Amino acid sequence: MRYLITGLLSSQITHSKIRDMHPSRFSKQKNDIQGLKDYIQSLKDQLNQTNDIKIQDQINSLSELKDSLPTLELVLPNQTFNNEITLQGTKRCAKLFTLGGGHSFCDAMLYIPDEKVIFMGDLLFVNCHPTFFEESDPVKWSKILKKVERLEIDVAVPGHGPTGTKEDISKIINYISKLTSIAEKSNSNENIEIPEIFKEWSSPEFYQQNIKRLRELSNL
């Protein structure tokens, strides 16, 4: 089916999650602006000691959030889809689709077949450690990525990191597999060293968190 988009569009599952979960989240954030200010100040204190550009980026992002919170309003998508829709332009078409939830409750991707380009959101991290949240399902995540690998892709745009290729999709599949194996073989008291192939990836602070999450999923 083909749509003319005139507003906000999401999967039906995402619409439901925004509707049910985000009002309380917004309210909590708005009621704790001072807490956010205090946290930003603590980051500034760290920055003075380390001059870490990543901390500066975090300060900039959180400062924008702080400034916008007083007038921020929750707006729900006004159009939804279940599995996929085709968006027809004057020169090319794009397919917006979901294969279910892997990283999040429901992960949508935008694929432009003529250009062999896919926008993958947080299903893909390029040269940086992905984040495993409570709602993440690494098994389903890996299965989704394996299906995406079958598409004709030259360019894969991630949620985090530089623009990638199909090879970077394979790397995340490998990451999930290796970390699952490590979590199964280690105990909860171990501080597991990052495997050599992932040591140069950014956001290494998520590695131990991911191992812990995988242990919880496996009840290890």
Side-chain angles (χ1 to χ4, degrees):
M1 92 182 102
R2 296 188 178 185
Y3 276 63
L4 174 64
I5 304 304
T6 58
L8 299 176
L9 174 65
S10 78
S11 70
Q12 181 59 53
I13 292 175
T14 297
H15 180 282
S16 298
K17 293 299 181 181
I18 295 174
R19 180 197 63 206
D20 297 341
M21 299 174 63
H22 280 50
S24 60
R25 178 186 175 191
F26 266 47
S27 178
K28 182 178 180 180
Q29 289 179 325
K30 286 176 178 285
N31 291 331
D32 192 29
I33 293 180
Q34 186 56 52
L36 179 58
K37 290 179 179 178
D38 293 342
Y39 182 59
I40 292 172
Q41 184 57 52
S42 71
L43 290 175
K44 290 180 178 178
D45 294 340
Q46 291 181 47
L47 182 64
N48 289 334
Q49 298 176 7
T50 64
N51 200 30
D52 187 341
I53 189 171
K54 293 180 181 178
I55 295 178
Q56 183 63 65
D57 290 342
Q58 192 175 3
I59 291 171
N60 294 341
S61 177
L62 291 176
S63 295
E64 290 179 6
L65 175 60
K66 172 182 65 69
D67 293 339
S68 67
L69 270 177
T71 57
L72 196 63
E73 294 183 10
L74 178 62
V75 178
L76 290 173
N78 58 358
Q79 296 186 61
T80 62
F81 67 97
N82 287 318
N83 297 314
E84 67 175 69
I85 63 172
T86 297
L87 312 176
Q88 185 63 54
T90 57
K91 295 183 178 180
R92 58 184 61 83
C93 69
K95 183 172 79 169
L96 183 63
F97 70 103
T98 177
L99 296 172
H103 174 271
S104 306
F105 290 109
C106 186
D107 298 292
M109 292 168 276
L110 183 71
Y111 178 50
I112 307 175
D114 291 344
E115 306 295 335
K116 299 181 181 179
V117 174
I118 188 166
F119 296 82
M120 297 186 64
D122 283 351
L123 284 169
L124 180 62
F125 290 65
V126 175
N127 295 334
C128 61
H129 291 263
T131 50
F132 293 175
F133 296 132
E134 288 186 5
E135 64 268 27
S136 299
D137 187 325
V139 174
K140 291 182 179 178
W141 189 346
S142 185
K143 289 180 178 178
I144 289 170
L145 293 178
K146 288 176 182 177
K147 290 180 179 179
V148 173
E149 274 191 308
R150 300 176 194 147
L151 300 173
E152 290 190 61
I153 297 170
D154 288 338
V155 177
V157 182
H160 297 269
T163 300
T165 65
K166 188 179 288 190
E167 181 182 355
D168 294 293
I169 299 175
S170 299
K171 288 180 181 179
I172 296 299
I173 295 172
N174 185 44
Y175 182 93
I176 294 172
S177 176
K178 282 192 176 295
L179 262 66
T180 299
S181 178
I182 290 170
E184 290 173 347
K185 295 174 181 178
S186 61
N187 64 61
S188 59
N189 296 321
E190 284 186 83
N191 189 34
I192 310 299
E193 185 177 354
I194 298 175
E196 193 66 34
I197 59 173
F198 307 129
K199 277 192 174 180
E200 298 303 317
W201 286 16
S202 61
S203 303
E205 65 274 13
F206 291 122
Y207 177 75
Q208 298 298 337
Q209 175 183 308
N210 291 340
I211 292 289
K212 180 181 178 181
R213 178 63 185 146
L214 286 168
R215 285 200 190 102
E216 291 171 351
L217 289 171
S218 302
N219 295 316
L220 297 173

